[in-house]
Amino acid sequence: MTARVIDGKAVAAELRAGLKARIATLGYAPGLVVVRVGDDPASGVYVRNKDKAAKEAGFNSRTIHLPADTTQAALLARIAELNADPAVDGILVQLPLPAQIDTQAAINAVAPEKDVDGFHPMNAGKLASGQPGLVPCTPRGVMHLLKGTELRGARAVVLGRSQIVGRPMAQLLLAADCTVTIAHSRTRDLPAECARADILVAAVGRPEMVRGDWVKPGATVIDVGINRLADGRLVGDVAFAEAAERAAAITPVPGGVGPMTIACLLENTLDAAIARRGG
Protein backbone atom coordinates (compact mmCIF):
# COMPACT_ATOMS: atom_id res chain seq x y z
CA MET A 1 0.00 0.00 0.00
CA THR A 2 1.24 3.47 -0.88
CA ALA A 3 -0.58 6.23 0.96
CA ARG A 4 -2.36 9.15 -0.65
CA VAL A 5 -0.45 12.29 0.30
CA ILE A 6 -2.75 14.94 1.79
CA ASP A 7 -1.75 18.26 0.24
CA GLY A 8 -2.04 20.85 3.00
CA LYS A 9 -0.80 23.63 0.73
CA ALA A 10 -3.68 23.07 -1.69
CA VAL A 11 -6.32 22.79 1.04
CA ALA A 12 -5.00 25.94 2.74
CA ALA A 13 -4.98 27.87 -0.55
CA GLU A 14 -8.59 26.89 -1.17
CA LEU A 15 -9.57 27.95 2.34
CA ARG A 16 -7.81 31.31 2.01
CA ALA A 17 -9.51 31.92 -1.34
CA GLY A 18 -12.88 31.26 0.27
CA LEU A 19 -12.09 33.68 3.09
CA LYS A 20 -11.06 36.34 0.58
CA ALA A 21 -14.36 35.93 -1.26
CA ARG A 22 -16.33 36.27 1.99
CA ILE A 23 -14.38 39.38 3.05
CA ALA A 24 -15.14 40.98 -0.31
CA THR A 25 -18.84 40.92 0.62
CA LEU A 26 -18.29 42.73 3.92
CA GLY A 27 -18.20 46.48 4.39
CA TYR A 28 -14.93 46.30 6.31
CA ALA A 29 -11.58 44.50 6.47
CA PRO A 30 -11.24 42.33 9.59
CA GLY A 31 -8.38 43.54 11.77
CA LEU A 32 -5.63 41.19 12.94
CA VAL A 33 -2.74 42.26 15.17
CA VAL A 34 0.22 40.02 15.99
CA VAL A 35 2.26 40.99 19.05
CA ARG A 36 5.82 39.73 18.88
CA VAL A 37 8.32 40.18 21.72
CA GLY A 38 12.01 39.71 21.01
CA ASP A 39 13.83 38.32 17.98
CA ASP A 40 13.29 34.56 17.91
CA PRO A 41 14.23 33.69 14.28
CA ALA A 42 11.53 31.05 13.78
CA SER A 43 8.92 33.45 15.11
CA GLY A 44 10.11 36.08 12.68
CA VAL A 45 9.60 33.83 9.66
CA TYR A 46 6.24 32.65 10.91
CA VAL A 47 4.96 36.17 11.59
CA ARG A 48 6.02 37.36 8.15
CA ASN A 49 4.18 34.45 6.54
CA LYS A 50 1.07 35.21 8.59
CA ASP A 51 1.16 38.87 7.63
CA LYS A 52 1.57 38.10 3.92
CA ALA A 53 -1.27 35.56 3.88
CA ALA A 54 -3.58 37.89 5.82
CA LYS A 55 -3.03 40.86 3.53
CA GLU A 56 -3.47 38.73 0.40
CA ALA A 57 -6.84 37.55 1.73
CA GLY A 58 -8.06 41.08 2.45
CA PHE A 59 -7.43 41.39 6.18
CA ASN A 60 -6.12 44.55 7.81
CA SER A 61 -3.07 42.91 9.35
CA ARG A 62 -0.14 44.41 11.24
CA THR A 63 2.57 43.32 13.66
CA ILE A 64 3.64 45.06 16.85
CA HIS A 65 7.29 44.13 17.45
CA LEU A 66 8.43 44.82 21.02
CA PRO A 67 12.03 44.57 22.26
CA ALA A 68 13.21 41.43 24.03
CA ASP A 69 13.52 43.25 27.39
CA THR A 70 9.85 44.31 27.41
CA THR A 71 8.37 43.87 30.86
CA GLN A 72 5.28 41.82 31.53
CA ALA A 73 3.42 44.95 32.67
CA ALA A 74 4.25 46.73 29.41
CA LEU A 75 3.07 43.78 27.33
CA LEU A 76 -0.20 43.47 29.28
CA ALA A 77 -0.80 47.20 28.86
CA ARG A 78 -0.35 46.92 25.08
CA ILE A 79 -2.74 43.95 24.97
CA ALA A 80 -5.30 45.97 26.95
CA GLU A 81 -5.08 48.75 24.34
CA LEU A 82 -5.77 46.25 21.57
CA ASN A 83 -8.69 44.74 23.50
CA ALA A 84 -10.26 48.20 23.60
CA ASP A 85 -9.59 49.04 19.94
CA PRO A 86 -12.79 48.53 17.89
CA ALA A 87 -10.78 48.13 14.67
CA VAL A 88 -9.01 45.05 16.05
CA ASP A 89 -10.95 41.80 15.70
CA GLY A 90 -8.16 39.33 16.41
CA ILE A 91 -5.10 39.44 18.68
CA LEU A 92 -2.30 36.89 18.55
CA VAL A 93 0.57 36.95 21.04
CA GLN A 94 3.41 35.15 19.27
CA LEU A 95 5.05 32.41 21.33
CA PRO A 96 7.59 31.79 22.74
CA LEU A 97 7.86 34.84 24.98
CA PRO A 98 11.04 35.94 26.81
CA ALA A 99 11.65 34.41 30.22
CA GLN A 100 10.61 37.52 32.21
CA ILE A 101 7.03 37.24 30.90
CA ASP A 102 4.51 34.74 32.24
CA THR A 103 3.09 33.14 29.08
CA GLN A 104 -0.21 32.20 30.68
CA ALA A 105 -0.69 35.73 32.00
CA ALA A 106 -0.25 37.07 28.46
CA ILE A 107 -2.71 34.53 27.05
CA ASN A 108 -5.25 35.31 29.77
CA ALA A 109 -4.95 39.05 29.07
CA VAL A 110 -6.35 38.75 25.54
CA ALA A 111 -10.11 39.35 25.36
CA PRO A 112 -11.69 35.92 24.71
CA GLU A 113 -13.70 37.24 21.76
CA LYS A 114 -10.43 38.42 20.12
CA ASP A 115 -8.39 35.35 21.07
CA VAL A 116 -7.82 34.02 17.54
CA ASP A 117 -5.22 31.53 18.80
CA GLY A 118 -8.00 29.88 20.82
CA PHE A 119 -5.77 29.56 23.90
CA HIS A 120 -7.76 31.61 26.44
CA PRO A 121 -9.21 29.47 29.27
CA MET A 122 -12.70 30.63 28.34
CA ASN A 123 -12.33 29.35 24.78
CA ALA A 124 -10.71 26.14 26.02
CA GLY A 125 -13.66 25.66 28.38
CA LYS A 126 -16.16 26.25 25.59
CA LEU A 127 -14.45 23.64 23.45
CA ALA A 128 -14.39 21.13 26.29
CA SER A 129 -18.09 21.66 27.03
CA GLY A 130 -19.16 21.57 23.39
CA GLN A 131 -20.03 25.27 23.10
CA PRO A 132 -19.08 27.40 20.09
CA GLY A 133 -15.93 29.45 20.53
CA LEU A 134 -12.56 30.17 18.95
CA VAL A 135 -10.64 26.91 18.44
CA PRO A 136 -6.82 26.55 18.36
CA CYS A 137 -5.66 26.94 14.78
CA THR A 138 -3.65 23.75 14.27
CA PRO A 139 -6.37 21.34 15.46
CA ARG A 140 -8.93 23.27 13.42
CA GLY A 141 -6.66 22.86 10.40
CA VAL A 142 -6.38 19.12 11.01
CA MET A 143 -10.17 18.84 10.94
CA HIS A 144 -10.16 20.51 7.51
CA LEU A 145 -7.59 17.96 6.31
CA LEU A 146 -9.79 15.13 7.59
CA LYS A 147 -12.80 16.20 5.52
CA GLY A 148 -13.78 13.23 3.40
CA THR A 149 -12.45 10.78 6.00
CA GLU A 150 -15.09 8.73 7.81
CA LEU A 151 -14.86 9.96 11.38
CA ARG A 152 -18.03 8.67 13.01
CA GLY A 153 -17.16 5.63 15.08
CA ALA A 154 -13.49 5.68 14.03
CA ARG A 155 -10.83 4.95 16.61
CA ALA A 156 -8.60 8.03 16.85
CA VAL A 157 -5.31 8.23 18.75
CA VAL A 158 -3.79 11.64 19.47
CA LEU A 159 -0.12 11.33 20.34
CA GLY A 160 0.67 14.36 22.49
CA ARG A 161 -1.23 16.12 25.26
CA SER A 162 -0.33 19.80 24.91
CA GLN A 163 -2.89 22.54 25.47
CA ILE A 164 -2.08 23.91 22.01
CA VAL A 165 -2.61 20.76 19.93
CA GLY A 166 -3.15 17.45 21.71
CA ARG A 167 -6.01 18.22 24.08
CA PRO A 168 -8.07 20.45 21.75
CA MET A 169 -7.47 17.95 18.93
CA ALA A 170 -8.96 15.20 21.06
CA GLN A 171 -11.99 17.37 21.86
CA LEU A 172 -12.64 18.09 18.18
CA LEU A 173 -12.36 14.44 17.23
CA LEU A 174 -14.66 13.48 20.09
CA ALA A 175 -17.20 16.03 18.87
CA ALA A 176 -16.98 14.36 15.45
CA ASP A 177 -18.05 11.03 17.06
CA CYS A 178 -14.63 9.40 17.09
CA THR A 179 -13.59 7.09 19.91
CA VAL A 180 -10.55 9.00 21.17
CA THR A 181 -7.43 8.03 23.08
CA ILE A 182 -4.79 10.58 24.13
CA ALA A 183 -1.37 8.91 24.24
CA HIS A 184 1.98 10.35 25.28
CA SER A 185 5.57 9.48 26.06
CA ARG A 186 4.61 7.61 29.23
CA THR A 187 1.83 5.55 27.67
CA ARG A 188 2.46 1.84 28.19
CA ASP A 189 3.20 0.01 24.94
CA LEU A 190 2.88 3.16 22.88
CA PRO A 191 3.49 1.43 19.51
CA ALA A 192 0.59 -0.96 20.11
CA GLU A 193 -1.68 1.91 21.17
CA CYS A 194 -0.91 3.82 17.98
CA ALA A 195 -1.36 0.70 15.87
CA ARG A 196 -5.01 0.50 16.96
CA ALA A 197 -5.82 3.86 15.40
CA ASP A 198 -7.92 4.38 12.30
CA ILE A 199 -6.84 8.02 12.60
CA LEU A 200 -3.44 8.79 14.11
CA VAL A 201 -2.52 12.40 14.91
CA ALA A 202 1.12 12.75 15.93
CA ALA A 203 1.95 15.92 17.87
CA VAL A 204 4.69 14.93 20.27
CA GLY A 205 7.65 16.97 18.98
CA ARG A 206 10.12 14.12 18.51
CA PRO A 207 11.59 13.62 15.03
CA GLU A 208 10.37 10.47 13.29
CA MET A 209 9.31 8.88 16.56
CA VAL A 210 6.36 7.08 14.97
CA ARG A 211 7.72 4.20 12.92
CA GLY A 212 5.98 2.41 10.09
CA ASP A 213 5.00 -0.61 12.18
CA TRP A 214 3.18 1.72 14.60
CA VAL A 215 0.66 2.47 11.84
CA LYS A 216 -2.44 0.35 11.29
CA PRO A 217 -2.78 -0.70 7.63
CA GLY A 218 -5.28 1.64 6.00
CA ALA A 219 -5.07 4.32 8.69
CA THR A 220 -5.06 8.07 8.10
CA VAL A 221 -1.93 9.65 9.57
CA ILE A 222 -1.75 13.36 10.40
CA ASP A 223 1.77 14.53 11.28
CA VAL A 224 1.68 17.80 13.22
CA GLY A 225 5.36 17.74 14.16
CA ILE A 226 8.02 19.84 12.51
CA ASN A 227 11.60 19.16 13.56
CA ARG A 228 14.88 20.36 12.06
CA LEU A 229 17.62 17.74 12.02
CA ALA A 230 21.35 18.41 12.38
CA ASP A 231 21.76 18.20 8.58
CA GLY A 232 19.13 20.92 8.12
CA ARG A 233 16.32 18.70 6.91
CA LEU A 234 12.78 19.25 8.21
CA VAL A 235 10.97 16.11 9.31
CA GLY A 236 7.80 15.38 11.21
CA ASP A 237 7.05 13.17 14.18
CA VAL A 238 6.34 10.29 11.79
CA ALA A 239 8.87 8.32 9.71
CA PHE A 240 7.12 9.32 6.50
CA ALA A 241 8.45 6.73 4.04
CA GLU A 242 7.80 3.83 6.41
CA ALA A 243 4.34 5.02 7.40
CA ALA A 244 3.33 5.72 3.79
CA GLU A 245 3.80 2.03 3.02
CA ARG A 246 0.99 1.14 5.44
CA ALA A 247 -1.30 4.16 5.69
CA ALA A 248 -4.16 4.96 3.34
CA ALA A 249 -3.49 8.71 3.63
CA ILE A 250 -0.75 10.78 5.24
CA THR A 251 0.34 14.40 5.55
CA PRO A 252 3.88 15.36 4.52
CA VAL A 253 6.31 17.59 6.42
CA PRO A 254 6.62 20.26 5.26
CA GLY A 255 3.48 21.00 3.26
CA GLY A 256 0.90 19.22 5.36
CA VAL A 257 -0.48 20.66 8.59
CA GLY A 258 1.74 23.77 8.65
CA PRO A 259 -0.04 25.77 5.93
CA MET A 260 -3.38 25.00 7.58
CA THR A 261 -2.38 26.70 10.83
CA ILE A 262 -2.06 30.11 9.19
CA ALA A 263 -5.20 29.59 7.09
CA CYS A 264 -7.20 28.73 10.21
CA LEU A 265 -5.80 31.74 12.07
CA LEU A 266 -7.40 33.82 9.32
CA GLU A 267 -10.60 31.77 9.53
CA ASN A 268 -10.73 32.43 13.29
CA THR A 269 -10.15 36.14 12.70
CA LEU A 270 -13.02 36.34 10.22
CA ASP A 271 -15.29 34.44 12.62
CA ALA A 272 -14.31 36.82 15.44
CA ALA A 273 -14.98 39.86 13.23
CA ILE A 274 -18.40 38.65 12.16
CA ALA A 275 -19.33 37.80 15.75
CA ARG A 276 -18.38 41.34 16.82
CA ARG A 277 -19.52 43.37 13.82
CA GLY A 278 -21.87 41.15 11.83
CA GLY A 279 -21.67 40.27 8.15
Side-chain angles (χ1 to χ4, degrees):
M1 178 184 299
T2 301
R4 172 178 64 88
V5 177
I6 302 171
D7 187 346
K9 289 183 180 178
V11 177
E14 183 178 358
L15 176 56
R16 292 197 309 271
L19 297 174
K20 184 175 182 177
R22 288 175 63 194
I23 289 170
T25 68
L26 302 175
Y28 59 89
L32 171 63
V33 177
V34 176
V35 182
R36 179 184 173 205
V37 184
D39 297 298
D40 179 75
S43 292
V45 173
Y46 198 46
V47 166
R48 285 193 295 273
N49 289 340
K50 288 174 183 176
D51 194 52
K52 179 182 177 185
K55 288 179 178 176
E56 287 177 352
F59 291 81
N60 181 10
S61 176
R62 62 188 174 96
T63 297
I64 296 172
H65 190 182
L66 302 176
D69 60 356
T70 298
T71 65
Q72 180 169 309
L75 174 60
L76 297 186
R78 183 59 67 94
I79 292 171
E81 292 173 4
L82 297 173
N83 286 340
D85 187 341
V88 176
D89 299 294
I91 302 167
L92 183 150
V93 179
Q94 181 65 36
L95 304 180
L97 292 169
Q100 75 272 14
I101 297 173
D102 182 334
T103 296
Q104 194 60 54
I107 290 170
N108 291 354
V110 177
E113 67 274 14
K114 296 188 178 187
D115 166 40
V116 289
D117 252 340
F119 295 164
H120 193 283
M122 184 173 292
N123 284 319
K126 285 182 175 180
L127 178 60
S129 59
Q131 299 178 52
L134 294 168
V135 176
C137 304
T138 298
R140 185 170 187 172
V142 170
M143 295 306 292
H144 278 289
L145 296 176
L146 288 172
K147 286 178 180 175
T149 301
E150 182 56 53
L151 298 180
R152 182 170 294 175
R155 182 179 296 280
V157 172
V158 179
L159 178 53
R161 51 183 169 175
S162 74
Q163 299 287 355
I164 294 172
V165 179
R167 297 183 193 211
M169 188 76 254
Q171 295 288 351
L172 289 172
L173 289 166
L174 190 62
D177 296 326
C178 292
T179 299
V180 182
T181 298
I182 300 180
H184 45 80
S185 60
R186 289 179 174 79
T187 296
R188 294 178 183 173
D189 200 354
L190 184 56
E193 199 65 56
C194 292
R196 300 170 66 209
D198 302 307
I199 298 163
L200 176 60
V201 181
V204 73
R206 296 188 183 183
E208 299 183 326
M209 177 179 177
V210 177
R211 311 310 303 185
D213 58 4
W214 293 28
V215 176
K216 179 181 179 179
T220 296
V221 179
I222 305 292
D223 191 350
V224 178
I226 183 162
N227 311 280
R228 189 173 294 278
L229 301 181
D231 62 8
R233 288 185 300 125
L234 288 177
V235 300
D237 292 348
V238 177
F240 180 86
E242 295 176 18
E245 290 298 316
R246 294 169 66 95
I250 188 170
T251 58
V253 176
V257 175
M260 296 304 302
T261 299
I262 291 178
C264 288
L265 169 68
L266 303 183
E267 189 176 33
N268 273 352
T269 302
L270 180 56
D271 286 350
I274 290 172
R276 291 182 61 246
R277 308 198 212 185

